[in-house]
Amino acid sequence: MNQPLSPPLQIFLIEDSSLVRELVIESFAEIPGVLLAGTADSEDDAYAHLTVQPCDILILDIQLRQGNGISLLRRLGKPAAESRQIRIIFSNNVSKGYRRLAEQLGVQFFFDKTCEFTQMRSLLEQLGLGGSADGIAG
């Protein structure tokens, strides 16, 4: 991704744990230049929302209340080159197989929910300030 997105960035969060969802939402509220556009806890709810209201940044877990994040990514297809949507997986399922599959489905960043929240937040802070995601590991 060479071109930075223009803040405020619309984030859509797909997370089935209400506790994790609340913590993430609370943290996002403190980041300038980002706006939580919506949340879902299931594949079907997320798909219904995202087909009507696209977002700049999609953050999703692999395991969901119904369906899963990998299946959702397949349904959505790879983002068009001009869309510049950033896709982030934030999950406990961090195997190399999931990472490889996620990358094939257009995911640019993959963060381990158990220990990499700070890195994901730092990425969002940089993007919220109008920065680029280039050079950020995830």
Side-chain angles (χ1 to χ4, degrees):
M1 163 171 258
N2 298 328
Q3 298 280 336
L5 298 170
S6 300
L9 303 177
Q10 303 286 315
I11 296 175
F12 194 81
L13 173 66
I14 307 163
E15 170 60 56
D16 64 330
S17 165
S18 60
L19 178 60
V20 172
R21 195 170 50 246
E22 289 172 23
L23 290 171
V24 171
I25 290 169
E26 183 178 303
S27 179
F28 288 179
E30 301 169 359
I31 302 174
V34 301
L35 177 66
L36 185 66
T39 65
D41 65 357
S42 73
E43 179 183 333
D44 287 345
D45 289 346
Y47 185 77
H49 179 87
L50 291 167
T51 54
V52 174
Q53 181 67 41
C55 62
D56 299 308
I57 302 173
L58 177 61
I59 300 174
L60 65 155
D61 194 356
I62 292 175
Q63 298 299 317
L64 302 173
R65 181 180 55 80
Q66 169 275 318
N68 67 70
I70 298 297
S71 179
L72 175 62
L73 289 169
R74 283 187 178 119
R75 287 172 73 182
L76 292 172
K78 279 192 175 181
E82 67 275 2
S83 84
R84 300 186 327 192
Q85 182 186 66
I86 295 174
R87 292 183 174 182
I88 300 169
I89 287 190
F90 184 55
S91 181
N92 292 326
N93 297 305
V94 295
S95 72
K96 287 182 182 180
Y98 274 127
R99 289 177 185 267
R100 196 169 34 256
L101 182 56
E103 185 178 327
Q104 292 169 1
L105 295 169
V107 172
Q108 294 96 331
F109 298 95
F110 197 115
F111 295 105
D112 184 338
K113 197 184 292 186
T114 60
C115 62
E116 295 182 325
F117 179 76
T118 303
Q119 289 93 323
M120 183 175 72
R121 183 183 160 93
S122 294
L123 169 65
L124 295 175
E125 288 171 347
Q126 180 173 334
L127 294 170
L129 292 172
S132 165
D134 291 339
I136 297 174

